[in-house]
Structures are given as C-alpha cells and as structure tokens.
C-alpha cells in the first residue's frame, strides 16, 4: 500500500502506529522523519558493495546480491525488534526514494499480515516538503522575540514560560548549542537537515493563532543556519527584553557555563580568535583570570567587553521594536520564577498583532 502525502502535514499526521526508516545507518543519522526507528535492510558497507557491483559489474548481479542481503536483514528485524507486534499493527516504511528497499520490506510485512504502508517518494518527498516549508513559504506563526544581554537567563526562562502556558520555540535546544562563542554542548550539533526536521516538528506542535516566544538569535546558531522562512519571521517580530545587573549576569554565567569554564586549555583555545577582534591585551587578561580560577570576574569581563558590545551592535543594525522590558535584580531560581510570572502575564494579556512591532509603545513591565 503506497502512502501518498500531499503536504508536510500529511507526513507529520500520517496516523500509522510506527515509522520505519530502512535506509542505511549513516543516512538515518543525518536526518529522518520525526519519530522514525532505524531498521536498515542494507547497512553502509552492504549498500556501498551493492552500488559498486551495480556500476562496475552488472545491475542484475547487484539486484540478486542486494535481494539476499535485504531479506536476510529483514528476517533479523522481524525476529528481533518487530517480534512483539500483533496482527493489527500499522507501520509506515520509507527508504531514500520509495523504491526497492522500502517496497521490498513493506511487501514482506504485508505478507506476514501487518498493514504496512510505504511513503511514495520516500525520504526525498519528505525533504522536499521540509524545504518548501522552511525555504519557500512564509511562516504562519506569529513570533515574539525574547531579547536581552548574554547572561540574562533567556534560555532558562523558556521552559518556565512553557509551564505557564506560553508557546515557546527553543532554537538553542533544537540546535544543541547555547548560541555564543562558548556555546558548544556535549554531543555536538545535529546536521543542518536534522535541525530542520526538529524545527518543523516543533512548529507543527504550535498553534499559529497564538504568539510564539523565541529567543533572539543571529542567523546562525553554532554551525547551523536558521532557514529563511524562520529568519524572515524573526526579523519582523516584535521583542520583549530582559534586563539584569552585570554582577548578577556574571554569577549566572559562571554557573551556566561550568562545563566550559572547567577546562582552561579548551577555553583559551575558544577565546583565541577574539585576539583579532578584541585585542591581545584583553585576551591576555582573560587568560590570566582563567589561570587564577577567577570565573565570575572572567564572565563579567566577557559580558562587558565582548558580548554586550556585540549585542548593542546587533540591535543597532536590526532596530527591534521592544514591546516591554522586564528588569530583575537577581537571576536565581526564585527570581526567575517571579520573572516568568511577569512575562507570562504580559504575553497572555497583550494582543500581539503582526504589525505590533510598528505600533506598540515601549513599556517597562515590573
């Protein structure tokens, strides 16, 4: 049974019990449909071997060898991870382009008695739909950007606001990067395609009729680019802004960046490129603070001498229209809960229209 999806919504709202990706492990690792499990019918080495035989020897020989490998691997999947499924199970299968790999596996599952579907066009049809949504179509969601200097706990505020009913889009969480020079996170970032899959899945769960709060970012988070549809919506979005004293921000950064600050040699390597932007004297001072273990002093200088000037320059270029500013004297857990209450209250009682960035006055929400 071929599953013919007419839109990205059809692929995300497919209604099947499971989604099975039968491509090779490396194809799956780069990107896959949301929620898919990897059951390759050819692993990377087998796929390369069959492809070489197809090109250099004989298409018939390649298909014969490939078929033996596909059925052998399929049998292992049926005896293993699929063994617990009952007769009413409905899996949705796909490969690269909805061809032999997924067609063969889907046929075998149906012969057993499971009601398996195969995505017409395979992963390529899904990827085309993602590209259309993020590169060719204006975003339907109404965004509000959450701005503020580095160290104002913007990322930590997002889940607090979500618990208060605010729709949030955590781009740094999806990109697995804290969005700054020292933003690397354990495990590294996903591929660009993997990031975009996570992004469309997150957007799909949000109601376009209600505002969506997103942390103010540049057009890149680490090595990943924000797709054009999202970036254009962010540039047009109104802002709210968090403000805190630099001393409180320095203390917060010293805790939030503990993993980076604990590795002095790596930290010096990350800061080295700033010698060409901030000067040797300042970076030498930072390295002295690293050697002395003066984390809070280092974070304060990084904020005042690097992050804050960069943020001010960016704001001058973008000229955001700020709907409200939310000052806080502290950034500990109690203060952040109170701050989240104030921001949620503002967002839930303020009408955010598409033209709000142009017409709304700036206020200070306390």
């Amino acid at each position: 049974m071929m599953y013919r999806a007419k839109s990205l919504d059809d692929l995300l709202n497919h209604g099947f019990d499971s989604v099975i990706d039968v491509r090779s492990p490396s194809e799956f690792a780069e990107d896959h449909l949301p929620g898919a499990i990897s059951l390759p019918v050819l692993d990377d080495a087998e796929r390369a071997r069959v492809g070489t035989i197809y090109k250099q020897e004989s298409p018939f020989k390649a298909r014969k060898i490939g078929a033996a490998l596909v059925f052998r691997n399929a049998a292992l999947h049926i005896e293993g991870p699929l063994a617990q499924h009952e007769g009413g199970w409905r899996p949705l299968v796909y490969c690269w382009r909805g061809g032999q790999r997924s067609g063969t596996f889907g046929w075998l599952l149906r012969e057993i008695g499971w009601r398996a579907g195969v995505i017409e066009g395979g992963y390529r049809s899904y990827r085309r739909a993602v590209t259309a949504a993020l590169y060719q179509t204006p975003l339907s969601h109404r965004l509000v950007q959450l701005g503020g200097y580095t160290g104002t706990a913007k990322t930590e505020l997002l889940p607090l606001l979500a618990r208060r009913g605010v729709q949030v889009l955590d781009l740094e969480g999806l990109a697995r990067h804290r969005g700054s020079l020292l933003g690397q996170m354990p495990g590294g970032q996903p591929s660009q395609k993997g990031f975009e899959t996570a992004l469309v899945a997150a957007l799909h769960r949000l109601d376009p009729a209600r505002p969506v709060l997103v942390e103010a970012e540049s057009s890149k988070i680490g090595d990943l680019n924000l797709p054009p549809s999202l970036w254009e919506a962010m540039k047009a979005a109104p802002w709210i802004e968090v403000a805190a004293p630099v001393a409180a921000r320095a203390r917060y950064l010293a805790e939030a960046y503990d993993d980076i600050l604990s590795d002095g040699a790596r930290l010096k390597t990350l800061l080295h490129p700033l010698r060409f932007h901030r000067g040797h004297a300042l970076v030498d001072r930072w390295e002295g603070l690293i050697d002395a273990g003066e984390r809070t002093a280092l974070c304060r200088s990084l904020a005042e001498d690097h992050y804050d000037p960069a943020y001010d320059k960016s704001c001058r270029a973008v000229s955001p229209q700020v709907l409200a500013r939310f000052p806080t004297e502290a950034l500990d857990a109690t203060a952040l809960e109170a701050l989240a209450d104030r921001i949620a209250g503002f967002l839930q009682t303020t009408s955010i229209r598409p033209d709000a960035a142009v017409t709304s006055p700036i206020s200070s929400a306390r």
Side-chain angles (χ1 to χ4, degrees):
M1 179 182 69
M2 193 64 67
Y3 180 69
R4 295 178 173 87
K6 296 180 180 179
S7 67
L8 181 59
D9 281 346
D10 288 343
L11 289 165
L12 297 176
N13 294 327
H14 49 75
F16 285 80
D17 299 325
S18 307
V19 181
I20 299 175
D21 186 324
V22 299
R23 299 176 303 156
S24 67
S26 63
E27 291 174 296
F28 182 86
E30 182 185 24
D31 185 33
H32 51 268
L33 269 68
I37 60 173
S38 177
L39 297 180
V41 293
L42 293 175
D43 65 23
D44 291 304
E46 291 165 342
R47 180 168 173 256
R49 177 191 170 200
V50 171
T52 299
I53 293 172
Y54 187 93
K55 292 179 180 178
Q56 298 182 2
E57 297 185 43
S58 160
F60 174 77
K61 183 178 179 180
R63 286 193 291 269
K64 183 172 63 174
I65 292 173
L69 292 170
V70 166
F71 280 106
R72 187 178 304 150
N73 291 327
L76 294 174
H77 298 325
I78 292 166
E79 292 175 337
L82 303 185
Q84 80 279 9
H85 292 295
E86 301 295 334
W89 180 53
R90 297 180 65 241
L92 181 62
V93 183
Y94 70 93
C95 62
W96 174 249
R97 55 187 177 188
Q100 291 182 334
R101 286 183 288 177
S102 59
T104 301
F105 194 62
W107 169 83
L108 181 58
L109 297 182
R110 287 192 296 274
E111 286 297 299
I112 292 170
W114 288 318
R115 294 177 292 166
V118 175
I119 295 178
E120 184 177 47
Y123 169 81
R124 290 200 307 179
S125 65
Y126 165 73
R127 181 61 198 168
R128 284 195 294 268
V130 170
T131 300
L134 295 180
Y135 286 78
Q136 301 163 8
T137 308
L139 205 67
S140 60
H141 299 74
R142 293 182 292 132
L143 304 183
V144 179
Q145 293 213 62
L146 176 62
Y149 284 131
T150 296
T152 48
K154 299 184 295 295
T155 302
E156 191 170 341
L157 280 168
L158 293 181
L160 299 180
L161 289 163
R163 289 202 290 269
R164 288 160 171 80
V166 175
Q167 291 198 124
V168 302
L169 181 63
D170 183 2
L171 293 178
E172 293 185 2
L174 298 177
R176 297 204 295 268
H177 194 281
R178 286 170 290 210
S180 67
L181 176 71
L182 307 180
Q184 295 91 335
M185 297 176 67
Q189 294 188 267
S191 68
Q192 181 69 33
K193 291 179 180 178
F195 170 60
E196 291 171 6
T197 277
L199 181 58
V200 295
L203 289 168
H204 183 73
R205 293 190 292 268
L206 300 173
D207 181 0
R210 297 173 51 217
V212 177
L213 188 67
V214 58
E215 186 174 346
E217 304 282 355
S218 67
S219 61
K220 291 190 71 173
I221 303 178
D223 294 328
L224 300 176
N225 295 303
L226 298 186
S229 297
L230 173 65
W231 182 236
E232 291 302 316
M234 290 176 66
K235 288 192 295 183
W239 283 40
I240 59 174
E241 200 168 52
V242 177
V246 68
R249 292 163 50 213
R251 289 191 296 270
Y252 177 83
L253 287 170
E255 295 182 7
Y257 284 74
D258 176 71
D259 56 331
I260 300 293
L261 298 173
S262 296
D263 188 342
R266 180 183 174 218
L267 180 56
K268 289 180 181 180
T269 299
L270 291 172
L271 294 175
H272 180 76
L274 292 183
R275 290 184 175 276
F276 306 100
H277 301 284
R278 302 300 182 192
H280 292 288
L282 180 58
V283 177
D284 286 342
R285 180 180 169 225
W286 290 341
E287 291 189 352
L289 292 172
I290 293 170
D291 292 337
E294 296 289 344
R295 294 186 175 192
T296 303
L298 172 65
C299 289
R300 178 164 186 150
S301 180
L302 284 169
E304 292 181 316
D305 301 315
H306 172 60
Y307 287 121
D308 292 3
Y311 181 84
D312 290 338
K313 181 179 178 180
S314 175
C315 284
R316 287 194 298 271
V318 176
S319 299
Q321 298 296 319
V322 182
L323 302 179
R325 292 192 174 95
F326 295 86
T328 179
E329 291 301 312
L331 293 165
D332 57 23
T334 301
L336 291 179
E337 292 285 353
L339 183 59
D341 284 338
R342 291 159 51 205
I343 295 174
F346 174 82
L347 291 173
Q348 290 163 355
T349 58
T350 302
S351 176
I352 308 295
R353 303 183 309 278
D355 62 343
V358 177
T359 62
S360 297
I362 294 176
S363 64
S364 181
R366 296 185 176 274

